[in-house]
Amino acid sequence: MLYFSRWKTFFIWFTVLVSVLVALPNLLSDEQLEALPSWMPSKKVTLGLDLQGGSHIMLKIEKADIVKERLETTVGDIRAALRDAGIRYTGLSGVGQQVQVRITDADKVEAAKEALSALTAPVSVGGLTGGSIEEITLQEDGTLLRFNLTDAGIDYRAGSALTQSMEVVRRRVDELGTTEPMIQRQGNDRIIVQVPGLTDPQRLKSLLNQTAKLSFHMVDMSMPVTEAINGRPPANAEVLYSQDDPAVPYLVEKRALVSGENLVDAQASFNQQTNEPVVTFRFDSKGAQRFAQATQENVGRPFAIVLDDQVISAPVIREPIIGGSGQISGNFSVEGANDLAVLLRAGALPATLTVVEERTVGPGLGQDSINAGIFASGIGAIFVVLFMLGFYGSFGVMANIALAANIVMILALLSLIGSTLTLPGIAGIVLTMGMAVDSNVLVYERIREEAKSGRPLVQAIEIGFNKAFATIVDANLTTLIAAAVLFFLGSGPVKGFAVTLAIGIITTVFTAFTMTRWLMAVWFRWRRPKHLPKGIRTGMFDAQNIRFMAIRRYTFGIAGALALASMVGFLTVGLNLGIDFQGGSIIEVKARSGAADIGEIRDRLSELNLGEVQAQGFGDPASVLIRIQAQEGGEMPSVGDHPGAR
């Protein structure tokens, strides 16, 4: 009973020692870390935007790209529709926001309008109840048909492109390994990206403003490329240049054999023959079929791999490629191959994103809020420690030792996996502390019940741990399931909270059961006690017989009434949603002189009952970025009269 072999004892304390070494860098400065031996761990817990700030990049979507793409698509649709209808035409071209075509036979104008009627059909927006808009309008001038792209249609396409771009940007930032960025829409054509503690913003910028449209085209061999440059290339071909220095021109067909939309995977690797960095890719079944058919029909001809209108390489098809996979080579560096693989996996942007603003930002919550949160967490931890000491005596000492080891192990695991620690994550650690202590309480109460039934103390301890183990596992398993759901369905700080909570659950089971049991075995062999240790719990409550179930009817009635009131309030009043759910407004203020007092600005705005208010440093110390949740009626508060703001 209460026997621990040497290897179990070694495992317990070896785990604790390794956790201390891994977590230790979080208490040291960068200068102190550099002085440590090379074998010592030096990785710190990554702090989130709300705790340390980072880089702020504002991207603007280029509407010109959207108009150009719509023009090209409209021209192609008109050409295909008239060809299918057997109607001859001339002068098909697109300029500005207008496409025009002249029908050769005047008797075929009505037939042409009928064939092209799908272009001018209203487009539904906003789902089933969102209404519809006209993207293209038709003007008729004899045999000349003019199709105009409406401003409403372009705005609709721009909004859709912005929403799609946000998802692509999110995937690219996630693929880069950056944890918990903030990506928000601003207005109708801009995206704000804030990345915590970024050390290489230039690489992030190059990844974000690259469209990454990959396509495979056949090289047109009908005429020399120099003749196409000096004269006029065929209607179905265009001249593109390579990424080499100097650039090499290629005459490629406009029609793409396969596009990047058919890619399912892209990875950076090395060519086994030349050992140079390459990017391997794999198509889906549809893309693999198209690629195989195209290579079978064009053996001996070169084809161009095009990325954003630049030819990466133009190899000759030696044999049909029927495996649905291949590789891209183009004098890449290792980082360049990795970045290209990231871009291809994340998908192409529907339009070019231009960086219009780049700054550094302070902690999203403000340093005063961070200090207040950490102070509150510390006070909570102190009260937990004092409660266990006073309530359970020697057993409380063991619980506090296990609790300290638990926190160290959480920090160690967060450092190892590179997870981001946010203020909700700190709340998760505090919650874990309560859960760990609760597990100890379950064990101690089980031991007390067994001792009261007349068992010897050593048997009571052994049976108490065994009976409490199933309860501890069940309780923590249900919480672990909730944490998994939050992790896979949540994002940002919610995901950080889930990671911290899940790690805390795992370490709690280890410390509250295995480590505490070892401590109790050592205590029992050392003290040889005959009775339970004295404490407030033993002195005040052991002799009491409080009949809680005697008032069960009242408590059940009150609980039912509160539950019913909560449901009625949820259905009638609803939830008070914050900025994350309903959006809001961004205001930039600048102090007239000296540094801005973020805490005072937040306090002044909180007095206006505006709901959730966020304020963070923005660039220089005098600038502050304020986020205010959406207000009823769309009216915004005036902050210009705040002392020290403009």
Side-chain angles (χ1 to χ4, degrees):
M1 294 183 181
L2 294 181
Y3 171 75
F4 279 82
S5 62
R6 291 184 178 180
W7 73 266
K8 285 185 178 180
T9 301
F10 172 79
F11 171 75
I12 292 171
W13 289 105
F14 177 76
T15 303
V16 174
L17 178 61
V18 171
S19 300
V20 170
L21 292 177
V22 175
L24 182 61
N26 294 286
L27 303 177
L28 304 178
S29 63
D30 293 337
E31 294 77 11
Q32 292 172 325
L33 286 178
E34 293 177 358
L36 292 177
S38 57
W39 57 269
M40 282 281 293
S42 58
K43 193 174 181 180
K44 291 186 176 183
V45 175
T46 304
L47 300 180
L49 271 168
D50 54 354
L51 296 180
Q52 72 163 340
S55 293
H56 169 99
I57 297 176
M58 181 181 291
L59 304 167
K60 181 180 180 181
I61 196 167
E62 295 296 336
K63 284 190 176 182
D65 290 354
I66 298 174
V67 174
K68 178 182 177 182
E69 183 178 357
R70 290 297 299 154
L71 277 178
E72 293 176 352
T73 302
T74 303
V75 169
D77 291 344
I78 292 174
R79 181 183 292 113
L82 294 179
R83 185 188 300 120
D84 293 341
I87 300 174
R88 301 183 64 181
Y89 62 91
T90 185
L92 177 59
S93 62
V95 179
Q97 293 183 207
Q98 187 180 86
V99 178
Q100 64 180 22
V101 60
R102 186 176 296 277
I103 306 302
T104 305
D105 188 352
D107 296 334
K108 296 287 187 178
V109 172
E110 291 301 322
K113 290 168 59 178
E114 179 65 25
L116 299 174
S117 60
L119 294 177
T120 57
V123 177
S124 61
V125 295
L128 298 176
T129 59
S132 61
I133 60 171
E134 286 188 337
E135 278 198 278
I136 300 175
T137 58
L138 173 62
Q139 290 180 333
E140 182 181 355
D141 184 8
T143 59
L144 183 64
L145 303 180
R146 294 188 178 93
F147 296 87
N148 300 299
L149 304 181
T150 65
D151 292 337
I154 293 174
D155 290 340
Y156 166 68
R157 291 288 178 175
S160 301
L162 192 66
T163 302
Q164 181 182 349
S165 297
M166 288 182 63
E167 293 304 316
V168 174
V169 167
R170 190 181 305 279
R171 289 196 296 267
R172 290 186 183 182
V173 175
D174 290 342
E175 288 278 359
L176 190 61
T178 304
T179 48
E180 297 191 18
M182 187 202 72
I183 301 173
Q184 288 183 335
R185 176 173 181 163
Q186 183 178 14
N188 297 321
D189 61 350
R190 300 194 179 193
I191 300 173
I192 292 178
V193 181
Q194 290 188 356
V195 181
L198 186 65
T199 57
D200 189 6
Q202 188 59 43
R203 184 184 180 195
L204 178 65
K205 286 168 56 179
S206 63
L207 283 174
L208 294 183
N209 60 16
Q210 189 170 346
T211 308
K213 288 186 177 180
L214 180 74
S215 54
F216 297 81
H217 303 254
M218 295 305 304
V219 175
D220 194 325
M221 307 296 292
S222 62
M223 63 188 304
V225 64
T226 53
E227 184 178 336
I229 295 174
N230 297 326
R232 185 175 181 179
N236 62 342
E238 60 182 341
V239 177
L240 299 179
Y241 292 85
S242 70
Q243 296 177 331
D244 302 323
D245 188 16
V248 178
Y250 292 91
L251 182 63
V252 300
E253 296 180 0
K254 292 182 178 180
R255 184 178 66 90
L257 300 175
V258 188
S259 67
E261 296 176 355
N262 299 114
L263 282 178
V264 294
D265 190 27
Q267 299 290 337
S269 61
F270 290 92
N271 189 305
Q272 296 181 355
Q273 297 178 349
T274 63
N275 203 34
E276 65 178 1
V278 296
V279 176
T280 60
F281 60 88
R282 183 165 54 89
F283 290 118
D284 58 15
S285 58
K286 185 177 180 180
Q289 183 178 0
R290 288 181 178 178
F291 197 59
Q293 181 180 357
T295 53
Q296 284 175 345
E297 296 173 353
N298 296 279
V299 174
R301 291 184 57 190
F303 75 101
I305 303 174
V306 181
L307 179 69
D308 290 345
D309 294 333
Q310 284 189 313
V311 178
I312 299 178
S313 61
V316 177
I317 302 174
R318 302 296 182 187
E319 59 184 10
I321 305 174
I322 58 176
S325 62
Q327 70 179 26
I328 303 172
S329 59
N331 297 322
F332 297 120
S333 63
V334 174
E335 186 175 282
N338 282 322
D339 288 349
L340 178 57
V342 167
L343 292 172
L344 297 182
R345 286 197 302 270
L349 289 168
T352 302
L353 294 177
T354 304
V355 178
V356 296
E357 185 178 60
E358 179 186 2
R359 299 196 190 185
T360 57
V361 293
L365 295 174
Q367 193 61 46
D368 56 333
S369 297
I370 296 172
N371 294 337
I374 295 176
F375 179 75
S377 302
I379 292 296
I382 292 173
F383 274 111
V384 169
V385 170
L386 293 178
F387 174 83
M388 292 302 294
L389 283 175
F391 216 68
Y392 287 99
S394 299
F395 283 3
V397 174
M398 301 175 202
N400 290 334
I401 294 174
L403 180 61
N406 194 358
I407 296 174
V408 170
M409 293 176 67
I410 291 175
L411 291 177
L413 288 174
L414 288 175
S415 301
L416 283 177
I417 66 177
S419 180
T420 300
L421 181 64
T422 60
L423 202 61
I426 294 177
I429 294 177
V430 176
L431 177 60
T432 300
M433 293 169 56
M435 294 170 58
V437 169
D438 183 58
S439 299
N440 288 120
V441 170
L442 285 174
V443 173
Y444 297 163
E445 292 302 323
R446 278 290 188 178
I447 293 173
R448 193 172 302 278
E449 289 176 4
E450 297 300 327
K452 287 178 65 177
S453 67
R455 295 183 186 274
L457 184 57
V458 64
Q459 291 185 5
I461 293 174
E462 186 75 22
I463 296 175
F465 270 101
N466 292 336
K467 287 188 175 180
F469 179 72
T471 305
I472 293 173
V473 171
D474 288 345
N476 285 280
L477 183 60
T478 54
T479 309
L480 185 62
I481 293 173
V485 172
L486 288 175
F487 178 81
F488 287 108
L489 299 183
S491 62
V494 175
K495 183 173 290 189
F497 172 79
V499 170
T500 307
L501 183 60
I503 291 175
I505 291 170
I506 296 171
T507 56
T508 293
V509 174
F510 174 78
T511 57
F513 188 79
T514 305
M515 187 176 182
T516 305
R517 189 170 186 168
W518 184 91
L519 290 171
M520 193 165 291
V522 172
W523 167 80
F524 185 84
R525 289 197 301 269
W526 173 45
R527 299 293 298 271
R528 295 293 179 180
K530 300 297 182 183
H531 305 284
L532 292 171
K534 298 296 182 182
I536 296 176
R537 169 68 177 84
T538 305
M540 292 185 60
F541 295 99
D542 275 1
Q544 301 296 325
N545 184 21
I546 303 175
R547 302 181 62 192
F548 290 104
M549 294 306 294
I551 57 173
R552 62 185 182 280
R553 295 179 180 177
Y554 302 103
T555 56
F556 290 168
I558 294 173
L562 291 176
L564 181 61
S566 299
M567 294 179 60
V568 172
F570 176 76
L571 295 175
T572 56
V573 180
L575 299 175
N576 184 18
L577 302 178
I579 298 176
D580 295 340
F581 291 95
Q582 66 176 2
S585 300
I586 292 179
I587 306 171
E588 182 183 349
V589 298
K590 189 177 183 67
R592 293 193 180 98
S593 61
D597 189 339
I598 298 178
E600 183 184 0
I601 293 175
R602 188 186 298 107
D603 292 341
R604 293 288 187 93
L605 290 174
S606 298
E607 295 173 358
L608 301 178
N609 296 321
L610 301 174
E612 184 181 358
V613 175
Q614 298 177 1
Q616 65 182 142
F618 191 58
D620 58 276
S623 298
V624 179
L625 191 67
I626 301 173
R627 290 184 177 86
I628 301 175
Q629 73 178 54
Q631 305 296 306
E632 295 183 3
E635 296 183 359
M636 286 305 305
S638 174
V639 298
D641 57 352
H642 181 274
R646 66 171 177 83

